[in-house]
Amino acid sequence: MPADAHAPDETYSYLGPAGTFTEAALAQVTAAQGKNWRPVNNVGEALNDVVAGRSIAAMIAIENSIEGGVSATQDALATIPDLRIVGEYLVPVNFVLVARPGTTLADVSIVNAHPVAYGQTHLWLDKNLPGHGHIPASSNVAAAANLLLHDHANAAVAPPGITKHYDLDVLATEIGDNPNAVTRFVLVSRTVAVPDRTGSDKTSIIAELPDDKAGRLLEMLEQFATRGVNMSLIESRPIGDALGRYRFIIDLDGHIHDERVADALLGLKRFSPNVIFLGSYPRADKLAIEVSTRYGDDSFLEAREWLNGLMN
Ligand SMILES: O=C(O)C(=O)C[C@]1(C(=O)O)C=C[C@@H](O)C=C1
C-alpha cells in the first residue's frame, strides 16, 4: 500500500468538504476519532464507498426536523443491498448567508444552497431577497466554496463556522426558519452483527404492501399495534416502477432482540413481499422505551411456553 493510502477499515466517508453538518455528526462517533475521514460529494458516493470496501462506514443525513426525510438517503437505503445502520446522531442546524467580500445584500440575486438547507431557509430568503434565484449545491459547504470558484451565484447558505474555512463575508446570521432545527444522521456500514440491546434502541425497516387493495396499509400497521410496538417514523417513497406504488420507511421503538419487535417483524414478513431490515441501533436521544408488561419479553415467552405445552 502506498505510504499515503489509508486502510478501508480506518476510513469513514462523509458528505464534504470539511465543515459540513455531516462532518459534525461524524465528530460524535468515538470509533472514528483519529481515523481517516474521506469527504465525498453525495450520499450515493458515500454508500458506494462502503459497498466497494473503500471505507468501513459512511455518515449520511436521513431526516431534518423541518424538511422531513432526505429522499436521496431513503431511496439509496431501499435499493443498495447489504447495508446496516449502526448508529444515529443528531446535529442542531442553523445557517448564515455568505458572499464574496464586498458584496451587500442588495447585490444578491442568485443564492447557492444545498436543497435541504434551502428548504429550511426559504422563509427568510423570500422575505429578505424576494425574487432571488436558487442554484442547488452538493453540500452546505460546497455552496460557499462555489462562490470562490465561479460567479454563478452571489451568495450562499452555509453553516455558521464557514468563515473559518473560506474567505467570505457574512451578510446575515440565524437565517434558518426554525431556530430549533435538527438533522438526524445515521452511520451506515456493510451488514454486521446486530449490536446488543441498550434499552434505548431503534429498529429501521423498509416494507412494501402486497397489493393495492383496501385496508392494506392498516393491515401492515396492525403488525406493530398488536404487539405494542410504537413507530417513531413512517414515510412513503415512490418505488419508482409505476405511478401509485410506494414503499414505507419505518422506525420502530425497540430492538430486534425484543420479543415484541421480533414477533412484529415475523408478522410483517408474512404480509409484505419485500421487507428490508436496516438495523437495530442505540437511539441518539437516549430515551428509555416504555413497554407495558403485556408486551414485555416475559409475556411473549410465557405465551410460547403455554402453546408448546398444549402441543406436547
Ligand atoms: O452536511 C451538510 O452540511 C449538508 O450539506 C447536508 C445536509 C443534508 O444532506 O441534508 C445536512 C444537514 C442540513 O440539514 C442540510 C443538508
Side-chain angles (χ1 to χ4, degrees):
M1 196 191 305
D4 61 342
H6 295 273
D9 61 355
E10 298 277 304
T11 299
Y12 289 75
S13 299
Y14 75 101
L15 184 73
T20 57
F21 292 116
T22 312
E23 188 193 47
L26 190 53
Q28 296 180 30
V29 180
T30 315
Q33 302 315 307
K35 302 286 168 65
N36 173 40
W37 293 9
R38 179 174 140 79
V40 297
N41 286 317
N42 55 63
V43 168
E45 193 183 359
L47 292 177
N48 282 335
D49 276 357
V50 173
V51 171
R54 279 185 294 273
S55 60
I56 182 91
M59 183 63 82
I60 54 178
I62 195 163
E63 183 185 6
N64 173 264
S65 58
I66 314 285
E67 266 297 282
V70 179
S71 46
T73 297
Q74 295 174 331
D75 293 348
L77 291 175
T79 50
I80 303 176
D82 304 326
L83 293 173
R84 276 289 162 82
I85 298 176
V86 292
E88 176 189 55
Y89 305 87
L90 301 178
V91 177
V93 290
N94 208 327
F95 300 95
V96 295
L97 189 74
V98 287
R100 287 179 287 274
T103 311
T104 66
L105 205 53
D107 302 326
V108 178
S109 54
I110 306 284
V111 176
N112 200 192
H114 184 281
V116 174
Y118 187 69
Q120 294 172 70
T121 51
H122 77 91
L123 291 182
W124 190 95
L125 291 170
D126 291 350
K127 180 163 171 246
N128 294 281
L129 294 170
H132 70 274
H134 166 222
I135 299 179
S138 58
S139 78
N140 291 308
V141 174
N146 287 342
L147 293 175
L148 299 174
L149 295 177
H150 47 67
D151 58 6
H152 301 166
N154 20 49
V157 173
I162 195 72
T163 47
K164 282 190 238 141
H165 299 274
Y166 299 92
D167 180 21
L168 293 167
D169 282 358
V170 175
L171 299 185
T173 58
E174 307 266 330
I175 67 168
D177 294 336
N178 185 321
N180 302 319
V182 174
T183 297
R184 190 163 67 86
F185 293 84
V186 286
L187 188 66
V188 178
S189 75
R190 268 168 293 172
T191 303
V192 285
V194 178
D196 289 341
R197 294 193 266 187
T198 65
S200 171
D201 301 294
K202 195 177 256 192
T203 294
S204 295
I205 51 173
I206 298 177
E208 292 173 21
L209 302 179
D211 50 44
D212 190 16
K213 301 265 163 50
R216 287 299 195 230
L217 179 59
L218 181 61
E219 222 177 307
M220 180 169 79
L221 301 185
E222 273 170 358
Q223 306 302 325
F224 310 121
T226 54
R227 279 98 174 177
V229 175
N230 183 47
M231 290 187 301
S232 58
L233 175 131
I234 177 163
E235 275 202 64
S236 61
R237 286 289 304 153
I239 294 174
D241 54 358
L243 267 181
R245 297 236 313 132
Y246 295 94
R247 59 171 70 100
F248 294 87
I249 323 291
I250 297 171
D251 282 353
L252 305 173
D253 282 356
H255 192 284
I256 192 171
H257 292 164
D258 293 335
E259 293 289 337
R260 69 183 198 291
V261 175
D263 207 58
L265 291 181
L266 283 178
L268 181 66
K269 180 67 187 162
R270 287 197 306 272
F271 166 79
S272 164
N274 189 10
V275 183
I276 301 171
F277 172 71
L278 288 174
S280 290
Y281 49 91
R283 298 168 66 98
D285 59 16
K286 306 224 163 49
L287 266 185
I289 306 299
E290 307 235 337
V291 185
S292 85
T293 46
R294 197 193 319 163
Y295 299 115
D297 282 358
D298 289 350
S299 175
F300 281 86
L301 295 175
E302 277 163 28
R304 199 166 304 135
E305 261 171 43
W306 171 79
L307 186 69
N308 286 341
L310 295 180
M311 294 193 295
N312 290 325

